[in-house]
Amino acid sequence: MDLLGHYGSSDEESGDIQYKQPVSLSMISINAAPDTGFHDADPTALYTAPTATELTVNVPYHDMMRPTLGPENPFSERKLATQNIITGHVQQEAISEMDFRTQHRTFESYGYARDPSINSANLVGHTGQGMLGTGYVGNLAAAAELGGATVFDRLPKHQRPNKDLRKRRERKGDSSVLEGDNAYKGPWAGYEGDGIGEPSGLEPELQEEVQMAMHPTKTTNKLVVHVAGTETTVFHGESEHDYLGRTYMAVPQDVDVNLLGEPGTQDCFIPKRCIHTWEGHAKGVSAIRFLPKSAHILLSAGMDNKLKIWDVYHDRSLLRTMTGHTKAVRDIAFSNDGTRFLSSSYDRYVKLWDTETGQCIRSFSTGKVPYCVTFNPEEDKQHVFLAGCSDKKIVQFDINTGEITQEYDQHLGAVNSITFVDENRRFITTSDDKTMRAWEFDIPVVIKYIAEPDMYSMPAVTLSPNKKWLACQSLDNQIVVYGARDRFRINRKKRFAGHLIAGYACKPGFSADGRFVSSGDSNGNVWVWDWKTCKILKKFKAHDKVVMNTEWHPHESSKMATCSWDGKIKYWD
């Protein structure tokens, strides 16, 4: 490098050549042959590889136990050179299936087994194999006593492990004695201690208790349960009566809508915005229903065990709260005139309430959870209601007497919905058994059984305004349509899909004129389809959780109420 400084210019015109001074460079010293510690190696010693499994020459003991030459790898976690598992080294051994089964059964029976790493079963001469160099593992005393015999080797009787466990056969008895100690048993004689022929079971006292529990005495069909003081009601307004003595049941006359007119007489439109939100339930809202005919008040059932009545017009305030259920309320149903309504709850009770006063009139229970309730829509049968229960039955109650007047028990799963069709002479039920069944009212015989291999459970059903079709919410994320007349056949041309409701009983809704079909979904959206074309017309975000109901106002042209598990009820226009 120093010689490079002596090079000058090659120009011939330059007379004097001036040499540059040498530049001293500080270099880093690099040792190309570091000390690896091999100077301690003995050239006469025999070195073996750590992974060697065979030795061709005799190596002295001190040479075999020498440490491994060379530096250790600081980044390796292996502790052994031949390590093949995380904790060490496992050496594979070949053993036949029959030999393994033999030694396994020998160990289970005698308590010892031959070490599989050796080829013979001698008790001596196998140093380092088995326990204490015997060639066996387990109970060495038993192995020495039995001579290492397996379960397939025949042993003398005095050496057999089960010599004391052999059962003694009972006597055949005297053929002339039929009963008693020496009764004839012949070839059917058992062994001592096996309990054959001896009476077994519960004691007589416990047997009586079990029989009473299995066959209770039916003294009456009245399953009405009155618990005084458990149902309460609270009115939240200033006064229950106005200056004319009217309650909130009176139809308001100061609104621009004819609330006593015929529903569906004017064309409906899809709602665009939320105009009001009712908040009052501490938990989710499972169902909402408008008051029949006028629809000026709204009834809601909550998972906070409460029932609430809301004002739809004027200030849209909370009018009344009714408590009495001890668990979440599942379903509600108004009577035809709206003066009474039913509520079914997970506390296994169906309660009849007065809409005006909020008082509980009666409580009904079958001991099972009522999933759905509905009145008979006939005017002369308003004292009869049906309840679909978790024990696969539809129970028919008489409100006046409190008795069960009929039971329909053909379903194979919990009953989810009950819908009256065909001028209220028949009703349709759906169940968790993925079937739909049609019944004649008050006759517990199925007149139509609908079940297909591709059918899913349909937990919510809604009757169309013209009473001709049934919109069934199927758990395969679609709404299927069945005819509500005699044959109850599926309409393959009507199928509303696009939403996600799997696992939820979201009830479909119809507009008052029947032009639109609506439904909530599990993401809090509301979907609206056109009835004729089955096309999606609108989808909008309504709630934070699953939307259970979409109820169209029967007299307003574009108003809809929705309820959700987020505890809110929203009114859309």
Side-chain angles (χ1 to χ4, degrees):
M1 297 294 294
D2 296 340
L3 296 177
L4 295 178
H6 295 286
Y7 285 95
S9 176
S10 60
D11 193 359
E12 297 179 353
E13 296 179 357
S14 59
D16 299 332
I17 299 176
Q18 297 179 356
Y19 296 97
K20 296 180 181 181
Q21 295 295 328
V23 180
S24 62
L25 300 176
S26 59
M27 303 297 293
I28 300 175
S29 60
I30 300 176
N31 189 358
D35 186 10
T36 57
F38 285 99
H39 60 276
D40 295 333
D42 187 0
T44 62
L46 295 175
Y47 293 95
T48 58
T51 58
T53 57
E54 295 182 0
L55 297 177
T56 57
V57 296
N58 294 330
V59 181
Y61 176 76
H62 61 276
D63 287 344
M64 293 180 63
M65 302 306 296
R66 287 178 180 273
T68 305
L69 291 178
E72 296 182 356
N73 185 1
F75 304 104
S76 176
E77 298 180 355
R78 299 180 60 178
K79 300 178 181 178
L80 300 175
T82 58
Q83 182 175 352
N84 55 7
I85 62 173
I86 192 171
T87 57
H89 175 75
V90 173
Q91 184 175 354
Q92 296 182 355
E93 294 286 346
I95 183 172
S96 65
E97 180 71 16
M98 181 178 179
D99 195 14
F100 176 80
R101 297 296 179 188
T102 301
Q103 298 302 323
H104 181 264
R105 291 183 58 186
T106 302
F107 187 84
E108 293 291 334
S109 301
Y110 297 160
Y112 66 88
R114 180 166 55 86
D115 192 339
S117 61
I118 60 177
N119 296 324
S120 61
N122 297 328
L123 286 173
V124 293
H126 301 288
T127 304
Q129 299 289 346
M131 296 177 60
L132 304 178
T134 59
Y136 287 86
V137 293
N139 191 349
L140 300 182
E145 181 181 357
L146 300 179
T150 64
V151 290
F152 296 108
D153 297 331
R154 188 172 182 85
L155 295 176
K157 289 185 178 182
H158 67 278
Q159 287 187 342
R160 294 177 185 175
N162 58 350
K163 62 181 184 302
D164 298 329
L165 301 179
R166 182 173 181 178
K167 297 180 180 180
R168 295 184 56 188
R169 187 72 176 270
E170 294 180 353
R171 295 180 180 181
K172 295 183 179 180
D174 189 359
S175 59
S176 62
V177 180
L178 297 179
E179 296 181 357
D181 297 336
N182 197 24
Y184 179 72
K185 298 179 182 178
W188 301 279
Y191 293 89
E192 294 180 359
D194 58 4
I196 296 178
E198 299 178 1
S200 61
L202 298 175
E203 298 178 358
E205 295 80 3
L206 295 177
Q207 290 181 3
E208 294 180 2
E209 295 181 5
V210 172
Q211 291 297 328
M212 292 178 62
M214 293 179 61
H215 305 285
T217 56
K218 297 182 180 180
T219 57
T220 178
N221 279 336
K222 293 185 178 181
L223 298 179
V224 181
V225 179
H226 294 281
V227 184
T230 58
E231 295 89 1
T232 58
T233 178
V234 177
F235 181 75
H236 299 279
E238 296 180 358
S239 176
E240 295 190 21
H241 300 82
D242 60 2
Y243 67 98
L244 293 177
R246 299 174 299 183
T247 63
Y248 54 74
M249 292 294 293
V251 180
Q253 303 294 329
D254 55 346
V255 293
D256 297 334
V257 182
N258 181 16
L259 297 180
L260 297 177
E262 185 69 22
T265 55
Q266 54 185 346
D267 292 339
C268 294
F269 302 93
I270 301 175
K272 297 180 179 179
R273 61 188 179 91
C274 179
I275 59 176
H276 187 74
T277 300
W278 288 291
E279 296 183 6
H281 285 284
K283 296 183 180 179
V285 182
S286 55
I288 54 174
R289 300 287 186 272
F290 279 111
L291 185 73
K293 298 180 179 179
S294 63
H296 68 280
I297 60 175
L298 181 69
L299 174 66
S300 65
M303 296 181 180
D304 55 356
N305 316 341
K306 296 180 181 180
L307 300 158
K308 293 181 182 292
I309 296 178
W310 312 84
D311 189 6
V312 178
Y313 294 95
H314 303 117
D315 56 354
R316 297 192 175 102
S317 60
L318 174 62
L319 297 176
R320 187 179 292 277
T321 299
M322 289 148 286
T323 59
H325 289 289
T326 58
K327 290 186 179 180
V329 183
R330 168 69 187 247
D331 194 20
I332 48 179
F334 272 111
S335 60
N336 285 359
D337 54 3
T339 57
R340 297 181 297 179
F341 68 90
L342 292 166
S343 64
S344 64
S345 170
Y346 287 100
D347 61 1
R348 304 183 180 183
Y349 283 95
V350 176
K351 293 182 182 292
L352 179 66
W353 305 81
D354 185 277
T355 310
E356 184 174 8
T357 62
Q359 300 296 322
C360 179
I361 303 173
R362 248 179 176 170
S363 298
F364 308 85
S365 177
T366 63
K368 304 297 179 181
V369 178
Y371 284 154
C372 55
V373 289
T374 182
F375 278 97
N376 189 321
E378 283 293 318
E379 292 295 337
D380 59 343
K381 293 185 177 63
Q382 285 291 286
H383 62 283
V384 178
F385 74 90
L386 301 179
C389 301
S390 60
D391 60 347
K392 315 169 190 176
K393 294 181 181 180
I394 300 105
V395 184
Q396 180 177 316
F397 284 95
D398 190 319
I399 295 176
N400 298 333
T401 62
E403 295 181 357
I404 296 177
T405 57
Q406 192 60 268
E407 284 187 355
Y408 311 83
D409 57 352
Q410 296 294 318
H411 274 293
L412 302 178
V415 182
N416 293 323
S417 69
I418 303 173
T419 309
F420 277 89
V421 295
D422 197 10
E423 298 180 354
N424 307 323
R425 293 177 299 177
R426 301 184 178 98
F427 62 91
I428 303 292
T429 59
T430 61
S431 169
D432 284 344
D433 59 6
K434 303 180 182 179
T435 65
M436 176 186 292
R437 299 171 197 247
W439 314 75
E440 289 278 356
F441 179 73
D442 213 12
I443 301 176
V445 179
V446 176
I447 62 173
K448 183 72 174 182
Y449 173 80
I450 303 171
E452 297 293 340
D454 57 346
M455 279 183 62
Y456 283 74
S457 178
M458 296 178 289
V461 178
T462 302
L463 185 64
S464 64
N466 58 8
K467 313 294 184 184
K468 293 183 180 180
W469 306 101
L470 290 170
C472 307
Q473 187 77 265
S474 180
L475 289 186
D476 57 347
N477 301 320
Q478 65 176 343
I479 298 176
V480 294
V481 178
Y482 286 85
R485 297 300 174 91
D486 292 336
R487 297 191 177 183
F488 308 108
R489 288 197 292 186
I490 187 172
N491 190 343
R492 300 287 181 182
K493 297 181 180 179
K494 299 292 184 184
R495 176 180 171 271
F496 306 94
H499 57 316
L500 297 176
I501 55 95
Y504 298 97
C506 301
K507 189 175 178 64
F510 277 98
S511 61
D513 58 356
R515 293 173 53 202
F516 305 115
V517 180
S518 62
S519 173
D521 69 356
S522 59
N523 298 321
N525 301 316
V526 172
W527 298 68
V528 181
W529 295 270
D530 183 81
W531 169 256
K532 289 186 177 181
T533 63
C534 299
K535 292 182 179 180
I536 300 174
L537 298 180
K538 190 170 186 180
K539 168 199 168 185
F540 57 92
K541 182 72 173 179
H543 294 270
D544 297 331
K545 294 184 179 180
V546 55
V547 180
M548 299 303 296
N549 271 85
T550 56
E551 291 285 328
W552 293 75
H553 197 284
H555 302 291
E556 299 275 6
S557 60
S558 62
K559 286 188 169 57
M560 174 198 296
T562 61
C563 69
S564 169
W565 281 8
D566 59 3
K568 297 179 181 179
I569 304 170
K570 294 188 178 181
Y571 200 36
W572 303 83
D573 187 6

